[in-house]
Amino acid sequence: MINPVAIQVGPLAIRWYGIFVALGFLGGYVLAIHRAKKRGVPAEAVSDVLFWTMAAGVTGARLFYVIQNWEEQFAGGPWLEVLRVDHGGLVFYGGFFGAMAAVTLLVKIKKLNIWTIGDILAPCVPLGQAFGRVGCLLNGCCHGHPCSGAFAMRYPLHPAGSFTAFPIQAFYSLSNLSLVAFVLICEKIFGLRGRLFGLFMIGYGLNRFFLEFGRGDYGPDAGIGPFTPAQVLCLIVIPAGVAVMWFGGRSAPAPAKEIHE
């Protein structure tokens, strides 16, 4: 049994979702700065890139969610609810595309190498997602199919009403943590200079595609044929990841000597 509100102080409600999304950004930020320093990339430049990338990511993620759920949740107002990301409602692929657009622009402004920045960020994105999915689990969004029994999660205080569902969000979180480990291990063993972000894209796309079959929160008309909208995007992201690995490996600069603290 889960209460999506962590702390209630009068009318102010601090929700678990907002807490874990913030922890996800913090975890990704700390790891990215650490990786940048090891590669001799100026931490200040990477910090600026990360700040605007996170802002663009949240904006894109919320925009995708609002567009997808306009009729059901937002058409009747209040308009302020469009901004309430702490209530849940961020679509990863919206954030992904928004963040990628910001990174592409900012690395040109900062005169950084995009393949090096991609290598730095590759394990940071799924780390942030792992925290975010815990927020989804506690908030009751992105849940699995209705079920009962030992593995069912019960949400008696959910705004949509009491229900029980399979905790697919926990599997999303674990798959993202596994992807972090996989990217770091491949980096350690094979190097994969310029290819790590492409590796992340392929791994995330595959994980997401198969786990989406466990999602139970989509409406009856949300699918595109037999697939969810996220699965359709996975079919684009996976080959795009292959292309990133191909071009990144050919275009990345020679590896700089790492700094070991």
Side-chain angles (χ1 to χ4, degrees):
M1 185 171 72
I2 292 179
N3 185 344
V5 176
I7 303 171
Q8 183 81 46
V9 181
L12 176 64
I14 300 175
R15 302 173 73 90
W16 287 113
Y17 183 84
I19 291 172
F20 275 91
V21 167
L23 287 174
F25 281 126
L26 178 62
Y29 176 85
V30 171
L31 179 58
I33 295 299
H34 173 72
R35 289 171 61 77
K37 288 180 178 178
K38 286 185 66 177
R39 284 157 182 75
V41 178
E44 296 79 8
V46 174
S47 180
D48 289 344
V49 169
L50 287 171
F51 174 81
W52 291 108
T53 297
M54 289 177 183
V58 171
T59 301
R62 186 60 174 177
L63 182 61
F64 264 53
Y65 181 83
V66 170
I67 291 172
Q68 286 184 4
N69 298 276
W70 177 257
E71 291 296 332
E72 296 85 355
Q73 297 186 30
F74 303 104
W79 284 95
L80 185 61
E81 190 63 27
V82 170
L83 305 177
R84 295 301 302 269
V85 296
D86 58 313
H87 287 178
L90 297 175
V91 176
F92 172 77
Y93 278 123
F96 177 81
F97 294 130
M100 289 307 96
V103 167
T104 302
L105 175 62
L106 288 165
V107 294
K108 291 183 180 295
I109 294 173
K110 298 290 182 180
K111 297 182 179 179
L112 302 170
N113 183 273
I114 193 168
W115 305 110
T116 301
I117 297 300
D119 283 348
I120 290 171
L121 296 181
C124 305
V125 180
L127 178 63
Q129 265 281 290
F131 280 98
R133 288 302 184 185
V134 175
C136 292
L137 177 68
L138 298 175
N139 192 55
C141 56
C142 307
H143 56 78
H145 295 288
C147 73
S148 59
F151 292 103
M153 297 292 291
R154 181 167 173 255
Y155 298 93
L157 302 176
H158 195 273
S162 177
F163 68 94
T164 58
F166 184 77
I168 192 66
Q169 309 99 316
F171 289 85
Y172 278 118
S173 184
L174 291 173
S175 74
N176 276 290
L177 288 176
S178 299
L179 186 54
V180 174
F182 179 69
V183 169
L184 292 176
I185 290 170
C186 287
E187 178 184 34
K188 185 73 172 179
I189 296 175
F190 304 112
L192 298 181
R193 178 175 51 89
R195 295 183 169 97
L196 289 179
F197 201 83
L199 183 66
F200 150 69
M201 291 172 67
I202 296 168
Y204 184 87
L206 289 170
N207 281 346
R208 182 73 185 266
F209 183 85
F210 289 108
L211 285 173
E212 279 288 295
F213 288 111
R215 285 281 289 271
D217 62 321
Y218 288 108
D221 300 322
I224 302 173
F227 301 127
T228 69
Q231 285 176 315
V232 173
L233 287 172
C234 287
L235 296 176
I236 299 172
V237 168
I238 293 169
V242 174
V244 169
M245 288 193 72
W246 173 263
F247 288 108
R250 288 171 168 262
S251 306
K257 185 177 180 180
E258 289 197 358
I259 301 170
H260 297 280
E261 297 176 353

